[in-house]
Amino acid sequence: MFMTSNICILIAIIAYLALVVGIGIKYAKKNENTEDFYLGGRKLGPFVTAMSAEASDMSSWLLMGLPGVAYVSGLADAAWTAIGLAVGTYVNWLIVARRLRRYTVVAGNATTLPEFFSNRFHDDKKILSVIAAVVIIIFFVPYTASGFSACGKLFASLFGMDYMTAMIISAVVIVAYTTLGGFMAASTSDFLQSIIMSIAIVVVLGFGTMSAGGIGAVAANTQSLAGYFSLTALHDAASNAAVSYGPITIVSTLAWGLGYFGMPHILLRFMAIEDENKLKLSRRIASVWVVIAMAVAIFIGIVGNAMSAAGAIPVLEDAETVLVAIATLLSSHGVIFALLAGVILAGVLAATMSTADSQLLAASSSVSQNIIKEVLFKDISAKTGMIIARVTVVLISIIAVFIARDPNSSVFGIVSFAWAGFGAAFGPVVLCALFWKRTTKQGALAGMVSGGIMIFVWKFIVRPMGGAWNIYELLPAFLVACAFIVIVSLLTKEPDESIMKEFEEAKQA
């Protein structure tokens, strides 16, 4: 029976992988230039825009990291993180999406976020663009590596495969459809992946609840664990005691929502929609899906803990595998359920791939567009630009595979750090560039650099001091970057008339 279930799971996963490669092949011939490859020619529809943005946002964190946190410590940490992200998602769609779509067209039809920064401030030397590209490479390559690693862990744990072999196979598939089809392939596959992710979490929650003994048994288990179902306390499994989750920690956790204003792979979806008037529909779809998906993911962790207490699944050493453990149990109930489990596990794979492909494109565009084409070789042809774009995707993937060779990594931890990095380095610059006319090139550069540096300073020097200093690094770094932008902008010469005119044009379009 075990062999049969594994075969069924493998069939479902292989079918899914073949489908996404097919999407890449479909869009391969539609990429005539780098604008098509990196932005899809600004032709995304509202549904694909919404769901691909959220699928690339959530990644394996939704199906592994978030349930894992809830499984171990209960409701508080996972819930406040989810609330911050839900608010951040909505506000980002509400105030940033439309203005960014307009302004990137007005500012020289920018196809990448770094290019927008340079065009917005008429930075002819492309200093902003290059610095932004370096920031993207610093934070996205390890982020992509964590995605490859998660895929490798999934195959290795399910089928007993060698980790490196499993990870490389996963990376090759992601690289294949991304290199072939570019942004449209990544966005279309992300839309598909969001559907699979939705099916996965709903089925797992329902089956898990029944396996734990029903809603009553799950509720009884949460009540037996001190602080487990509280918003102001964490559960300490070692002592079965409640640990205070105070106001400072809550505010720090809510700060996750600030990260959205600086996420290149999400902001690119705003830039790529075919009609800005359809962003309202996209916002509604995205906001509703995010709230429901994160709520279900949290309760999967809570249900998983109840299943362990009931003996349905073992007590997990790696809490981030709770969804995999539930799907594996489901696969033991016959061929149909094994195929369904395969779809669920393909959902875990989809969650990882939906972010990895977007990260690859963002990192690749930083190298090929913002460094090679804009600074080093300005007169390359469209065909040569496409070759460089695709080769860059492959090279960055090879580096990510090398980084991911060690399987001992935390999905939640890596995502948390990279999220903070982009949120602090880019978020304040994006907001000021879009909404404060007095922002100067020098101010934007100061904000970007200070925000990026403060992430490392707070993470590795200040936060380890503990106590009141134990604040998620995104919040202090974001505030520091905002302060630098405002102070430096006011101390430097105001932007010239042409920049002011473009600002008003983007505002009134």
Side-chain angles (χ1 to χ4, degrees):
M1 183 64 196
F2 176 75
M3 182 64 71
T4 302
S5 65
N6 266 6
I7 291 173
C8 291
I9 291 172
L10 188 60
I11 289 172
I13 291 176
I14 290 175
Y16 167 74
L17 294 177
L19 181 59
V20 293
V21 172
I23 291 173
I25 294 172
K26 174 185 176 182
Y27 285 104
K29 295 182 179 180
K30 297 184 179 182
N31 292 307
E32 298 179 357
N33 51 53
T34 51
E35 182 181 356
D36 291 337
F37 189 75
Y38 287 127
L39 208 58
R42 300 185 193 266
K43 298 174 184 176
L44 284 192
F47 283 92
V48 175
T49 299
M51 297 308 293
S52 68
E54 299 317 315
S56 65
D57 163 23
M58 289 291 118
S59 73
S60 55
W61 177 84
L62 177 70
L63 300 187
M64 298 177 73
L66 192 59
V69 170
Y71 178 94
V72 172
S73 61
L75 185 63
D77 203 22
W80 286 116
T81 301
I83 292 170
L85 291 175
V87 173
T89 296
Y90 181 79
V91 174
N92 200 32
W93 279 96
L94 181 65
I95 69 172
V96 172
R98 185 184 296 268
R99 182 69 68 88
L100 184 64
R101 174 64 172 81
R102 294 174 181 174
Y103 215 148
T104 52
V105 174
V106 171
N109 196 31
T111 57
T112 68
L113 192 60
E115 184 182 8
F116 168 65
F117 290 149
S118 280
N119 290 1
R120 158 67 174 86
F121 296 102
H122 292 196
D123 176 21
D124 296 331
K125 295 181 179 179
K126 304 297 181 182
I127 296 173
L128 281 172
S129 184
V130 171
I131 296 295
V134 171
V135 170
I136 286 175
I137 294 167
I138 288 173
F139 289 108
F140 258 162
V141 174
Y143 203 162
T144 303
S146 74
F148 289 170
S149 176
C151 292
K153 287 180 183 179
L154 175 63
F155 282 111
S157 62
L158 284 174
F159 307 115
M161 294 176 63
D162 173 69
Y163 166 78
M164 276 298 293
T165 302
M167 188 264 291
I168 290 172
I169 291 173
S170 304
V172 167
V173 172
I174 296 171
V175 172
Y177 74 79
T178 304
T179 304
L180 287 169
F183 184 83
M184 285 301 295
S187 296
T188 304
S189 62
D190 288 352
F191 175 66
L192 170 67
Q193 287 153 0
S194 68
I195 296 173
I196 296 175
M197 290 160 66
S198 301
I199 295 171
I201 58 177
V202 170
V203 172
V204 165
L205 181 63
F207 174 75
T209 302
M210 290 189 293
S211 300
I215 296 176
V218 174
N221 182 67
T222 61
Q223 293 172 1
S224 69
L225 304 174
Y228 194 80
F229 206 66
S230 170
L231 286 174
T232 57
L234 293 177
H235 172 67
D236 182 6
S239 61
N240 193 24
V243 179
S244 176
Y245 200 84
I248 293 178
T249 308
I250 290 173
V251 172
S252 170
T253 308
L254 286 172
W256 272 77
L258 294 173
Y260 279 105
F261 302 124
M263 291 299 130
H265 55 301
I266 297 172
L267 298 175
L268 280 175
R269 265 64 184 188
F270 300 162
M271 294 162 61
I273 194 167
E274 62 181 350
D275 183 356
E276 68 173 59
N277 294 319
K278 296 179 180 179
L279 281 167
K280 186 175 182 179
L281 175 59
S282 296
R283 181 179 75 238
R284 291 173 176 172
I285 296 168
S287 300
V288 170
W289 185 84
V290 161
V291 170
I292 294 174
M294 288 193 295
V296 173
I298 291 170
F299 280 100
I300 285 173
I302 292 172
V303 167
N305 189 291
M307 291 176 69
S308 292
I313 60 174
V315 176
L316 301 174
E317 293 184 9
D318 184 357
E320 291 183 346
T321 62
V322 59
L323 187 142
V324 176
I326 298 173
T328 302
L329 177 64
L330 175 65
S331 71
S332 65
H333 287 67
V335 173
I336 300 298
F337 290 102
L339 287 171
L340 184 57
V343 173
I344 293 169
L345 294 170
V348 178
L349 194 62
T352 303
M353 294 171 69
S354 63
T355 301
D357 56 23
S358 298
Q359 292 164 345
L360 273 176
L361 284 173
S364 169
S365 66
S366 297
V367 176
S368 65
Q369 289 290 100
N370 306 126
I371 296 177
I372 295 177
K373 186 175 180 180
E374 291 182 10
V375 178
L376 300 179
F377 305 102
K378 298 182 180 180
D379 298 323
I380 58 176
S381 65
K383 182 177 180 181
T384 303
M386 283 299 302
I387 294 173
I388 291 174
R390 285 181 164 132
V391 169
T392 306
V393 169
V394 174
L395 291 177
I396 289 175
S397 301
I398 292 172
I399 296 171
V401 166
F402 178 77
I403 295 173
R405 68 191 187 281
D406 180 7
N408 298 317
S409 60
S410 166
V411 171
F412 193 90
I414 295 176
V415 170
S416 171
F417 184 65
W419 187 268
F422 286 121
F426 290 160
V429 180
V430 168
L431 291 175
C432 289
L434 294 178
F435 298 103
W436 189 34
K437 184 163 54 175
R438 182 63 175 78
T439 309
T440 66
K441 177 177 67 177
Q442 295 85 350
L445 181 60
M448 194 183 304
V449 173
S450 63
I453 291 175
M454 183 54 65
I455 288 296
F456 288 90
V457 171
W458 198 275
K459 171 74 173 179
F460 298 108
I461 298 177
V462 179
R463 193 172 186 182
M465 295 166 62
W469 302 106
N470 187 25
I471 298 173
Y472 180 35
E473 54 270 19
L474 173 54
L475 180 57
F478 191 96
L479 295 175
V480 166
C482 288
F484 266 85
I485 293 172
V486 172
I487 293 170
V488 174
S489 291
L490 293 176
L491 291 176
T492 50
K493 182 181 178 181
E494 69 177 26
D496 61 40
E497 187 177 341
S498 61
I499 295 177
M500 297 291 198
K501 183 177 179 181
E502 285 183 358
F503 183 92
E504 291 299 327
E505 184 180 349
K507 181 180 178 180
Q508 297 171 9

